[in-house]
């Protein structure tokens, strides 16, 4: 099942998967999808199987192994059968999974909203090996205070030259800043990210 936002006739479709602990209709996912739709993009949100099972009274289990999530992501793209250029991605874990299948799928672009470069408090356990050789044009929108990868940490990682970073000043993993410090809100940073996605995606070659 997909949740759609934005004009059906949009030239480009963005597929978004959720993070490890929040569903496709969480507040962040809904706000981000609405912001992207406001930029004229068509957004298709979907849910991994373990999260969908929670809706029917299933146990609150953690995500399965990443290989299974990758297979589910590929299946979702096939099911969507989008016409025109396709960008795949997601929030946190959803973006990480998309980054592991994007080259194989030959999509136009990859969008990561708060990439989990490492587990919280474990900066030595990096999840960046495949990002060094990534060939898909990629945009990562990341808060500068994200505990899964701050600006200072990410500066030292070996990332592919196909990856563009949009830094959201003072934002945490959900793009929420300290308003008393920056004068901005989470909605402001989500809007900034959406504008960055629109500008970046307009320059993408067809997938």
């Amino acid at each position: 099942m997909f949740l759609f936002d934005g004009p059906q006739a949009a030239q480009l479709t963005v597929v978004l998967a959720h993070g490890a602990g929040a569903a496709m209709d969480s507040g962040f996912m809904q706000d981000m999808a609405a912001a992207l739709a406001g930029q004229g993009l068509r957004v298709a949100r979907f849910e991994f199987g373990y999260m969908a099972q929670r809706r029917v009274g299933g146990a609150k289990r953690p995500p399965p192994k990443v290989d299974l999530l990758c297979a589910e992501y590929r299946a979702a793209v096939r099911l969507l059968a989008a016409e025109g250029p396709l960008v795949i991605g997601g929030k946190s874990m959803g973006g990480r999974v998309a980054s592991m299948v994007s080259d194989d799928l030959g999509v136009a672009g990859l969008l990561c909203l708060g990439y989990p470069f490492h587990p919280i408090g474990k900066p030595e356990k990096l999840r960046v090996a495949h990002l060094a050789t990534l060939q898909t044009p990629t945009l990562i929108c990341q808060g500068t205070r994200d505990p899964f990868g701050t600006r200072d940490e990410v500066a030292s990682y070996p990332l592919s030259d196909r990856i563009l970073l949009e830094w959201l000043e003072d934002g945490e993993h959900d793009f929420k800043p300290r308003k008393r410090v920056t004068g901005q809100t989470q909605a402001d940073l989500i809007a900034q990210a959406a504008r960055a996605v629109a500008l970046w995606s307009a320059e993408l070659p067809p997938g």
Side-chain angles (χ1 to χ4, degrees):
M1 182 183 76
F2 293 94
L3 292 177
F4 291 100
D5 296 88
Q8 186 173 356
Q11 292 186 347
L12 183 141
T13 299
V14 181
V15 179
L16 292 182
H18 55 84
M24 65 178 174
D25 57 356
S26 67
F28 177 89
M29 291 291 286
Q30 294 195 112
D31 292 345
M32 193 73 237
L36 292 171
Q39 293 292 328
L41 301 171
R42 181 177 185 243
V43 181
R45 288 176 278 162
F46 80 96
E47 223 157 54
F48 293 112
Y50 80 94
M51 186 64 71
Q53 288 177 357
R54 295 183 184 182
R55 295 185 183 275
V56 293
K60 193 174 182 180
R61 296 173 180 170
K65 292 183 178 180
V66 72
D67 288 348
L68 177 57
L69 296 174
C70 286
E72 288 189 50
Y73 208 119
R74 291 188 181 96
V77 170
R78 289 194 299 269
L79 180 62
L80 181 62
E83 297 181 2
L86 185 68
V87 168
I88 67 171
K91 176 75 176 82
S92 193
M93 181 196 75
R96 181 189 175 208
V97 173
S99 73
M100 300 177 81
V101 301
S102 59
D103 281 357
D104 290 342
L105 290 175
V107 293
L110 167 68
L111 172 62
C112 298
L113 303 167
Y115 188 86
F117 288 97
H118 58 72
I120 293 179
K122 298 179 179 179
E124 73 282 0
K125 294 189 175 182
L126 293 177
R127 300 163 172 158
V128 301
H130 67 292
L131 298 183
T133 57
L134 192 68
Q135 295 301 304
T136 303
T138 300
L139 177 64
I140 299 177
C141 297
Q142 192 87 355
T144 61
R145 292 191 304 120
D146 192 325
F148 289 88
T150 65
R151 178 156 51 189
D152 289 343
E153 290 173 334
V154 175
S156 67
Y157 300 155
L159 302 180
S160 165
D161 61 7
R162 306 307 300 275
I163 296 175
L164 176 67
L165 281 150
E166 173 73 13
W167 287 105
L168 308 173
E169 190 60 41
D170 205 57
E172 293 188 342
H173 196 51
D174 61 357
F175 300 172
K176 188 175 182 179
R178 294 168 295 183
K179 188 175 181 180
R180 68 182 185 279
V181 173
T182 66
Q184 292 192 299
T185 65
Q186 182 187 42
D188 292 327
L189 296 192
I190 286 176
Q192 177 188 334
R195 291 192 298 269
V197 174
L199 291 171
W200 165 78
S201 63
E203 301 298 323
L204 290 176

